[in-house]
Amino acid sequence: MVTGAGGDVGGAAALLLAQRGAAVLGVDINPDGLRRVEAQLPAGAAFRAVVADVSDESAVERYVAAAVDGFGGIDLFFNNAGIEGSRTGAWCAIPDLALEDFEQIMAVNVTGVFLGLKHVIPVMAGRGGGAIVNTSSIYGLKGSRKQLAYVASKHAVKAMTATTAKEWATSGIRVNAIAPGAIEGRMLRDFVSIIESSEPPPDPEKPVRYNPPPISRWSDPREIAQMAIFLLSDEASYITGACYSVDGGLNVL
């Protein structure tokens, strides 16, 4: 099961899992994104799309029930859905951060991850175990100016990962997190646009650019998805409670 399956990383993960023979339930609030994934599936793939808000507990119960009813259970869970926030909340000083913008980010990035864990774990435990990967961020490992809500939310994901891994290891459930850096796709484009609109560059011919990572390029969504799939696989059978940077060396001190 993949949440945020209509987005860049979630969609890449859903496609890679389907290509490797997994039955995949893709969850997203955006039906158009899910349809784009469905259009790229290999022939004969077992895929079911569920439109759901991950911050709504009744919707989470519904997507978990859909996985159980449609596929018999849940073995692998990529708990990936997340947002950067609205144009007013994604990049602003703390005194200017509206409570509703803060709460929106926390609802999806924290409550959504928690609810996924809450309702998926009993299903996994009943089947004798499984593997979970939560999506944090490099900003779940450090701070960043003007991103209080997003940074706090991704630190929370890392903390929930460690706590859940310790609590459920003896039930055969492994829980890890990934901490991506900047990823080519919709979220990065929108975020750069937000920064440029709030802090116009001194030279219009030189728009906002992050300092590139040592690898000298931003990641392809598939590269992030591949790390998540490795951690979900039996090849990572002795790994739990960890958070892996997938950032091209961006977070190297």
Side-chain angles (χ1 to χ4, degrees):
M1 184 159 64
V2 179
T3 65
D8 294 312
V9 173
L15 289 170
L16 286 168
L17 286 165
Q19 289 163 5
R20 298 179 188 191
V24 181
L25 186 116
V27 179
D28 204 286
I29 199 168
N30 178 8
D32 291 337
L34 291 171
R35 282 191 286 269
R36 283 193 296 271
V37 172
E38 288 180 295
Q40 299 174 67
L41 289 167
F47 181 86
R48 182 172 179 181
V50 176
V51 178
D53 177 355
V54 299
S55 67
D56 179 343
E57 187 162 20
S58 64
V60 175
E61 291 172 331
R62 180 166 54 83
Y63 77 63
V64 171
V68 173
D69 294 342
F71 299 128
I74 302 166
D75 301 301
L76 311 174
F77 181 31
F78 186 23
N79 199 7
N80 167 69
I83 61 172
E84 73 276 20
S86 70
R87 294 193 70 85
T88 56
W91 182 258
C92 67
I94 294 167
D96 300 325
L97 179 60
L99 179 59
E100 56 266 33
D101 287 329
F102 178 86
E103 290 178 335
Q104 178 195 36
I105 292 171
M106 300 301 278
V108 177
N109 294 3
V110 180
T111 303
V113 170
F114 156 66
L115 289 173
L117 294 170
K118 175 182 177 180
H119 291 284
V120 168
I121 283 172
V123 175
M124 276 191 177
R127 289 168 65 82
I132 297 171
V133 173
N134 300 318
T135 299
S136 180
S137 165
I138 57 166
Y139 292 117
L141 308 176
K142 61 181 182 179
S144 174
R145 72 187 184 96
K146 294 192 173 183
Q147 289 184 275
L148 175 74
Y150 184 80
V151 170
S153 74
K154 292 305 184 176
H155 275 268
V157 171
K158 182 175 180 290
M160 286 191 285
T161 298
T163 300
T164 309
K166 197 159 191 177
E167 184 173 317
W168 289 92
T170 57
S171 297
I173 298 175
R174 295 186 301 103
V175 189
N176 293 291
I178 56 172
I183 306 163
E184 290 284 4
R186 193 279 311 162
M187 185 178 285
L188 180 60
R189 290 192 300 270
D190 285 358
F191 188 62
V192 169
S193 173
I194 290 167
I195 296 174
E196 288 179 337
S197 65
S198 63
E199 298 181 2
D203 183 349
E205 299 301 316
K206 297 179 180 179
V208 171
R209 291 290 183 268
Y210 293 105
N211 291 326
I215 277 183
S216 300
R217 63 175 176 83
W218 306 126
S219 69
D220 183 282
R222 284 174 56 93
E223 293 172 304
I224 309 302
Q226 285 165 342
M227 184 61 175
I229 291 170
F230 165 71
L231 291 169
L232 291 170
S233 76
D234 289 341
E235 293 178 350
S237 58
Y238 200 63
I239 302 173
T240 195
C243 182
Y244 286 88
S245 296
V246 194
D247 61 8
L250 194 63
N251 212 33
V252 174
L253 298 178

